[in-house]
Amino acid sequence: MKNRNTFTLIMLVLVLLGCNSTSNKKETMANQLAAVEKDDNYICKTVKKTGSNFNTRRCMTKEAYEKSKKQARDAMDELDRSWNTGNNVGF
């Protein structure tokens, strides 16, 4: 009986410590996000994930943002070219 109570007490302490570290991580991430949003080298946007009711705040450097926009534009241009030339196998 004594071993069982000791085990239960240890598990309770571990669970409480785990919850505490999660809240510290959330606070740290919130502080980092606030610092990044003030920086002029970053672009932050709220993104809604498909199939979810939760929004996510995403920040990236201006260079990374422009690079991702160019990659998306190039992918759409390539898709448009392949569609117009008849290389759309399976459709």
Side-chain angles (χ1 to χ4, degrees), residues 25-73:
K25 288 179 186 177
K26 287 180 182 179
E27 289 175 12
T28 303
M29 289 179 66
N31 291 338
Q32 288 175 348
L33 182 60
V36 166
E37 285 181 338
K38 292 178 185 176
D39 192 349
D40 290 336
N41 293 326
Y42 285 88
I43 296 174
C44 296
K45 294 186 176 234
T46 301
V47 179
K48 184 164 183 157
K49 190 174 182 180
T50 304
S52 174
N53 291 328
F54 297 106
N55 294 331
T56 303
R57 191 82 174 146
R58 300 198 62 198
C59 298
M60 62 178 71
T61 62
K62 288 182 179 181
E63 295 85 15
Y65 179 74
E66 292 299 324
K67 185 177 180 181
S68 68
K69 270 179 55 174
K70 184 181 181 323
Q71 288 175 339
R73 194 177 311 115

